[in-house]
Amino acid sequence: MDRRIKIDDFPSVSIFNENGNFHIKVDRKQIEEGVFIYKIKGNCEQPISPTPVSIKWRMPSFNVKGVWKCGGIHDKRQQYDWELVHLKSRISVDAPVISIFGHDDSNRLTFACSDAINLLEMNTLLREEDNHLYCHLTLFSERHPAITHYETELRIDVRAVNYAISLQEVSQWWESFDDLKPHPIPSIATAPLYSTWYQFHQDLEEDILLQECKIAKDIGYELIILDDGWQTMDNNRGYDYTGDWQPDRFPDMAQFVEQVHQIGMKFGLWFSVPFCGKHSKAYKRFKGKFLTENHRWAPVFDPRYPEVRQYLIDTYVNALKNWKLDAFKLDFIDDFKVYPETELTKENGRDYANVNAAVDRLLTDVMFALRTIKPDIGIEFRQQYVGPALRKFGNMFRAFDCPNDAVSNRIRITDVKLLCGASAVHSDPQTWHKEEPVEMAALQILNGFYGVPQMSVHLRNIPKSHLNMVKFYTKYWIENKAILMDGQFVPVNPLGNYPILSCEKNGHKIIGIYDETVVNINESNRIDLLNAKTTDKIVLRNLGAKRHIHIMVRDCQGAMVSAQKINMDVGVIELNVPSAGMVVITNN
């Protein structure tokens, strides 16, 4: 944090390279008004382990409200140059992009890197002495295997567009690279999903699960994911027995899957990919082939060994073939990383030195093997491993665990959705206490509405009003899936936790309202307003022309509350809508 060091003003950049033997060159090209590409190339004559290289620039802090990072969640404030906690991105953690946004949600500066595999550090920091933002992209900030050549690109966007547009176009830019092209999305990826985790954890019983599946299917859920616990009789919420993947709790897994299929639901299984518990047979077999044995949960497989990769591939392929699975939840990918004791060499049987590159190879081979058997296989990955490289493999990207936390679910879904393009973004499984008032339970549903619904409550035990509510909103979500999944997505005020979310397609707009605020509406043919608040008022500002409209109001169970025709003037109007209810506005 030496303030005497000169940093060039954007669009020029300064290069800080600790190793003079690794020559760095940066070429700038403007591809459109306000959008720049910096091609970064590094070369050296002999293989060396590169030391950190930083690309830095500064810009005046005009109209800056906050900073968006995909792992920021509740913290989207500005940082200062005495704070040294930076965004770290690699193949299995977050995405290499930062967006600085203004008080009007405009993009001030968005920068992204095309290297979505290796670990990068990025940040933008305010310096109080001159009220400038100091931005940087740092390469090779962790130990890296020896190389002679490296290339990547830095994209900087300073257009005065909405910040969401800038981020969505970064996602499109990533897709233009051959090594980051996402896989097509199968229909199963956008099907409402029933998860066993929050209501059962590891206490799984076949008969009860089948009862739950029958109810779930009846109210619109098409897929069940059987989470942790199926592979062991151990209930300690740990991973000491992980690694063999034998269905100890489900002695005839194939028959159980078939029973679920007969109900009409698809079936998926959870696997913790990197962990190999010390009580497993696999631990003895692969002793010495771990990235670390000092993880707090279990030793971590080293994917740089071809036999380790093949073992994991065979595990999933055999499960798919033998049990006729439809989906996998592949968990804890982010624990594949460089640990202090990890040697970064290609020797002793390892065919990769780079851990991140080996993870890419593992997932490439896993997906090829599974899709060869079942092209429409569903693959769920969980936040933080939702970056552009992971879109090559997964097709269901889920918000990170936030049980019974509606606001966090909304924020996490939105953060993932801004970067995931056409990939299916899922809510964290929605759960609540069975004695909650139905309106409060409905807030869990509505806060997860802009992702594919995941449900994790004991359906056979919840009150009838809760079941009616879940059925009503699930049916509505399915009917409007094309809008919610593929419509133009606009999340308002990221620093305020996105109090308004909207999607619009073909003149039909769905607006979620999560705080007491005025909602601007236009002349869309149909506008659906979701009152995801505890109050019974919605305040609108009509920005379109004066017109005749029809208003239909329903409560959270779908019962009609009122229907009327009114003349809507330009300006502000107030509507009565029950808490967790909805209103449909159509033009007469």
Side-chain angles (χ1 to χ4, degrees):
M1 199 176 62
D2 188 344
R3 291 174 172 82
R4 297 169 298 178
I5 297 175
K6 184 181 183 301
I7 306 295
D8 287 342
D9 292 320
F10 175 82
S12 296
V13 298
S14 302
I15 304 170
F16 295 86
N17 182 8
E18 297 180 9
N19 191 330
N21 294 322
F22 195 68
H23 303 289
I24 299 294
K25 181 181 179 182
V26 178
D27 293 320
R28 183 183 78 221
K29 179 181 179 181
Q30 183 168 345
I31 60 173
E32 63 176 280
E33 184 66 31
V35 180
F36 300 82
I37 297 293
Y38 298 76
K39 292 185 179 292
I40 304 167
K41 295 183 180 181
N43 290 285
C44 57
E45 294 182 358
Q46 299 295 328
I48 62 171
S49 295
T51 51
V53 174
S54 291
I55 314 300
K56 298 184 179 183
W57 66 95
R58 70 171 196 164
M59 58 177 285
S61 181
F62 297 149
N63 182 22
V64 172
K65 183 177 183 180
V67 177
W68 189 98
K69 304 170 187 175
C70 66
I73 315 301
H74 293 274
D75 187 3
K76 293 181 171 67
R77 64 173 179 86
Q78 294 185 65
Q79 284 183 260
Y80 310 101
D81 67 351
W82 63 79
E83 299 180 88
L84 300 178
V85 178
H86 307 303
L87 166 67
K88 293 185 178 182
S89 166
R90 52 187 164 87
I91 182 172
S92 56
V93 172
D94 288 336
V97 60
I98 290 176
S99 181
I100 305 166
F101 56 88
H103 293 271
D104 53 355
D105 281 0
S106 63
N107 170 56
R108 304 303 300 145
L109 182 142
T110 295
F111 64 105
C113 186
S114 63
D115 186 351
I117 304 296
N118 296 293
L119 188 138
L120 309 173
E121 285 190 1
M122 306 171 69
N123 218 337
T124 178
L125 302 168
L126 182 81
R127 182 166 295 180
E128 63 188 61
E129 284 84 354
D130 59 9
N131 279 305
H132 275 65
L133 292 172
Y134 286 74
C135 306
H136 78 266
L137 164 67
T138 300
L139 313 170
F140 313 121
S141 57
E142 73 171 354
R143 290 187 298 121
H144 194 284
I147 57 175
T148 60
H149 181 74
Y150 176 84
E151 289 188 21
T152 191
E153 292 186 11
L154 169 66
R155 182 183 190 270
I156 298 182
D157 178 0
V158 291
R159 296 171 301 159
V161 298
N162 185 276
Y163 82 99
I165 292 174
S166 184
L167 285 169
Q168 290 158 354
E169 291 188 8
V170 166
S171 180
Q172 296 167 12
W173 175 66
W174 281 326
E175 292 178 21
S176 70
F177 292 89
D178 289 340
D179 63 341
L180 297 178
K181 291 191 181 300
H183 195 272
I185 308 303
S187 60
I188 193 174
T190 60
L193 182 160
Y194 178 90
S195 167
T196 63
W197 182 241
Y198 288 141
Q199 79 277 35
F200 288 104
H201 290 102
Q202 294 173 316
D203 297 322
L204 302 166
E205 297 182 33
E206 289 189 21
D207 290 345
I208 292 176
L209 287 171
L210 292 173
Q211 293 176 42
E212 291 286 300
C213 283
K214 290 176 183 177
I215 302 171
K217 172 62 179 177
D218 183 59
I219 60 176
Y221 287 77
E222 301 292 334
L223 168 67
I224 178 175
I225 287 188
L226 190 64
D227 213 292
D228 188 10
W230 65 267
Q231 80 289 357
T232 177
M233 299 302 292
D234 177 60
N235 282 2
N236 289 319
R237 291 279 294 274
Y239 301 93
D240 288 344
Y241 294 87
T242 296
D244 295 334
W245 301 110
Q246 298 301 313
D248 291 353
R249 200 178 294 267
F250 292 80
D252 193 343
M253 180 65 81
Q255 182 184 19
F256 179 62
V257 174
E258 176 56 27
Q259 289 177 294
V260 172
H261 283 163
Q262 289 176 2
I263 292 171
M265 292 188 75
K266 304 290 188 181
F267 191 97
L269 269 187
W270 169 90
F271 289 84
S272 62
V273 180
F275 295 148
C276 184
K278 292 187 176 181
H279 294 310
S280 68
K281 296 176 183 177
Y283 173 75
K284 298 176 183 177
R285 175 179 170 182
F286 292 104
K287 180 71 173 174
K289 297 177 181 178
F290 300 111
L291 292 169
T292 183
E293 290 202 33
N294 297 319
H295 195 286
R296 61 176 175 153
W297 287 326
V300 177
F301 277 122
D302 189 340
R304 297 174 298 169
Y305 289 93
E307 58 269 35
V308 169
R309 297 197 302 271
Q310 194 59 52
Y311 175 75
L312 293 173
I313 293 166
D314 290 344
T315 296
Y316 310 138
V317 166
N318 291 335
L320 176 60
K321 286 182 175 179
N322 296 337
W323 303 330
K324 303 296 187 292
L325 303 181
D326 304 290
F328 288 81
K329 175 182 175 181
L330 299 181
D331 214 350
F332 295 107
I333 306 295
D334 47 342
D335 283 291
F336 284 129
K337 61 182 181 180
V338 176
Y339 293 87
E341 62 269 39
T342 305
E343 295 183 5
L344 296 180
T345 58
K346 184 179 174 182
E347 57 187 15
N348 298 326
R350 297 185 292 269
D351 59 354
Y352 282 83
N354 188 322
V355 174
N356 295 311
V359 173
D360 188 62
R361 171 66 183 276
L362 168 65
L363 295 177
T364 297
D365 292 350
V366 166
M367 295 306 110
F368 177 79
L370 295 179
R371 286 169 178 152
T372 298
I373 301 167
K374 188 175 180 60
D376 63 345
I377 192 75
I379 304 293
E380 182 195 285
F381 289 148
R382 176 180 60 168
Q383 200 179 27
Q384 301 175 349
Y385 33 99
V386 295
L390 272 296
R391 290 183 63 205
K392 299 186 294 182
F393 316 118
N395 45 47
M396 302 151 64
F397 291 90
R398 203 201 84 204
F400 187 75
D401 301 28
C402 50
N404 201 16
D405 185 346
V407 175
S408 290
N409 207 3
R410 176 176 85 243
I411 297 169
R412 292 172 187 273
I413 291 167
T414 304
D415 287 349
V416 176
K417 192 177 180 74
L418 280 167
L419 294 181
C420 263
S423 298
V425 177
H426 282 235
S427 75
D428 188 51
Q430 295 149 0
T431 188
W432 57 84
H433 194 284
K434 66 181 181 180
E435 295 178 12
E436 278 272 35
V438 65
E439 294 82 6
M440 298 301 291
L443 294 183
Q444 298 289 340
I445 301 287
L446 292 176
N447 276 270
F449 221 66
Y450 289 82
V452 178
Q454 290 202 15
M455 180 62 54
S456 195
V457 295
H458 286 288
L459 295 173
R460 70 196 190 287
N461 292 335
I462 60 174
K464 189 174 187 298
S465 61
H466 288 205
L467 199 62
N468 290 339
M469 177 271 294
V470 175
K471 186 172 184 177
F472 167 62
Y473 272 128
T474 302
K475 182 175 183 290
Y476 173 85
W477 189 94
I478 293 170
E479 290 172 347
N480 294 282
K481 177 167 66 173
I483 301 168
L484 293 163
M485 291 288 97
D486 304 324
Q488 179 61 48
F489 181 54
V490 180
V492 172
N493 189 5
L495 196 59
N497 294 335
Y498 307 121
I500 300 174
L501 301 175
S502 71
C503 276
E504 183 170 16
K505 186 175 183 178
N506 298 329
H508 183 178
K509 178 178 282 190
I510 301 174
I511 304 176
I513 308 163
Y514 301 94
D515 208 341
E516 297 299 334
T517 185
V518 178
V519 181
N520 294 327
I521 62 171
N522 54 22
E523 297 181 26
S524 300
N525 296 329
R526 172 175 166 177
I527 301 173
D528 299 356
L529 304 169
L530 309 174
N531 185 24
K533 306 183 279 85
T534 57
T535 58
D536 60 358
K537 304 289 185 184
I538 291 178
V539 179
L540 305 178
R541 180 186 290 114
N542 178 24
L543 301 179
K546 178 178 179 179
R547 62 192 188 275
H548 303 291
I549 61 170
H550 181 265
I551 298 176
M552 181 175 63
V553 179
R554 295 184 183 275
D555 67 16
C556 66
Q557 297 183 60
M560 181 79 74
V561 174
S562 65
Q564 59 180 318
K565 295 179 181 180
I566 66 170
N567 293 323
M568 184 166 64
D569 292 326
V570 177
V572 175
I573 64 170
E574 183 178 84
L575 301 178
N576 293 317
V577 184
S579 171
M582 67 178 297
V583 56
V584 175
I585 300 174
T586 53
N587 295 326
N588 282 338

